[in-house]
Amino acid sequence: MKYCNTLIAVKDMSASLKFYTELFGLEVAADFGWCKALTCGLTLQEHFDEIARFPQETMKFRSNTMELYFETEDFDGFIALLEAYPQVERLHEAETFPWLQRGIRIYDPDGHLIEVSESMYTVACREFEKGAEVSETARRIRHPLEVVQTWHEQYQASRNASQDQEFSVCGADCAACYCYGKMCRGCNACGGRVFHAPEGKACPIYECVVNHKGLKDCGRCGEVPCHIWKDTRDPKYTDEEFAENVRGRMEALKKKKLM
């Protein structure tokens, strides 16, 4: 025995499809005419009274005895999208629940209650970013300690990966560059083909350490800092500034090797 999906009765299939596809980004996974299964596992059913063989007058929409629950990693984005649909009725506006999760409850065209909230992993990460310990976070968001511990490990791994992505193979902090996110996506993201390199070619440092030597970064090369570093020196730097730049990059590479 296995649970398959949730079916809800709808009066107007076109109105319901518009609601769930435009607000929730769902698609029709299987179309059976009066019955349409959506990609999230939710099924919409027209003429449910005829199929189930009970009097139509016994169907009670807007019962407020159950809800459909959705989570999003971009709660603010959903609220912004919802503002474009003023006809959607709200049970309450967006609020922060006692367990620190932000959420809102709305009604679909047939009066089925829907909760849309940010994921609890997102809530936990927000606490981690504030410096909260795992045990304190578990207490505040009212979740089991072992679950929050797993989330903390995922959070740390994600943060390390993000930091790794922002540092180039030569130890430069791409995120600190005025070109980052505008003229350049960063050394790692563009495979060394940064904006200041010849068109279609990688930066000489990236070409050497990654494409030629097959290393992850210059910190794994015994010749760093080498003549290529000097040849690719930013001409705006004075000798003192370049020496400080090299020192900072070397420190960053040492830290990356410890990760």
Side-chain angles (χ1 to χ4, degrees):
M1 179 72 70
K2 68 175 183 177
Y3 178 79
C4 294
N5 61 15
T6 297
L7 181 147
I8 58 174
V10 302
K11 301 172 187 174
D12 183 341
M13 181 64 77
S14 61
S16 292
L17 279 178
K18 178 179 175 66
F19 177 85
Y20 284 102
T21 56
E22 293 186 6
L23 265 179
F24 294 89
L26 303 178
E27 298 177 358
V28 176
D31 190 335
F32 305 104
W34 287 354
C35 177
K36 301 189 191 304
L38 305 182
T39 46
C40 69
L42 177 65
T43 298
L44 309 180
Q45 178 70 65
E46 271 187 313
H47 308 289
F48 188 49
D49 55 313
E50 296 181 35
I51 296 171
R53 299 176 185 173
F54 53 71
Q56 186 181 47
E57 60 269 19
T58 65
M59 296 181 67
K60 300 185 184 301
F61 290 93
R62 200 183 179 90
S63 65
N64 286 344
T65 56
M66 57 85 70
E67 72 173 16
L68 302 176
Y69 178 74
F70 291 84
E71 283 190 349
T72 175
E73 299 299 328
D74 184 11
F75 184 70
D76 292 327
F78 176 77
I79 295 301
L81 175 62
L82 188 61
E83 291 301 317
Y85 295 83
Q87 71 275 20
V88 174
E89 184 181 356
R90 296 154 169 77
L91 175 62
H92 62 75
E93 295 297 335
E95 64 178 69
T96 301
F97 304 128
W99 47 95
L100 306 184
Q101 181 187 36
R102 294 182 299 161
I104 188 172
R105 288 186 173 89
I106 61 178
Y107 289 101
D108 81 351
D110 296 287
H112 297 297
L113 184 60
I114 298 173
E115 176 185 340
V116 180
S117 292
E118 59 186 346
S119 73
M120 288 306 299
Y121 173 69
T122 299
V123 177
C125 287
R126 190 161 57 240
E127 293 302 299
F128 299 150
E129 288 171 2
K130 295 177 183 176
E133 298 291 337
V134 171
S135 57
E136 175 64 13
T137 298
R139 184 188 67 78
R140 296 193 68 193
I141 70 174
R142 304 180 184 181
H143 266 59
L145 182 62
E146 58 272 19
V147 172
V148 179
Q149 179 62 53
T150 298
W151 286 346
H152 187 261
E153 292 169 2
Q154 294 174 358
Y155 165 77
Q156 291 283 33
S158 176
R159 189 174 68 168
N160 289 341
S162 177
Q163 291 174 342
D164 228 14
Q165 186 68 14
E166 291 174 351
F167 278 91
S168 72
V169 297
C170 68
D173 184 1
C174 291
C177 176
Y178 68 94
C179 299
Y180 186 65
K182 301 173 185 176
M183 299 170 61
C184 183
R185 294 181 292 121
C187 177
N188 298 317
C190 64
R193 292 183 291 276
V194 290
F195 72 98
H196 54 77
E199 186 174 356
K201 295 185 177 181
C203 163
I205 296 177
Y206 191 97
E207 180 67 28
C208 173
V209 70
V210 177
N211 297 339
H212 179 63
K213 295 183 177 179
L215 301 176
K216 185 178 180 181
D217 56 57
C218 292
R220 289 153 173 82
C221 175
E223 300 175 24
V224 65
C226 65
H227 70 91
I228 302 178
W229 279 38
K230 298 174 183 177
D231 292 343
T232 55
R233 166 180 170 173
D234 190 328
K236 296 196 302 290
Y237 284 145
T238 64
D239 290 343
E240 293 76 13
E241 289 172 335
F242 181 63
E244 180 62 22
N245 174 265
V246 169
R247 187 197 63 77
R249 287 153 65 186
M250 291 294 291
E251 284 298 317
L253 289 170
K254 289 178 183 178
K255 290 180 180 178
K256 284 182 68 176
K257 289 184 69 173
L258 294 176
M259 290 180 179

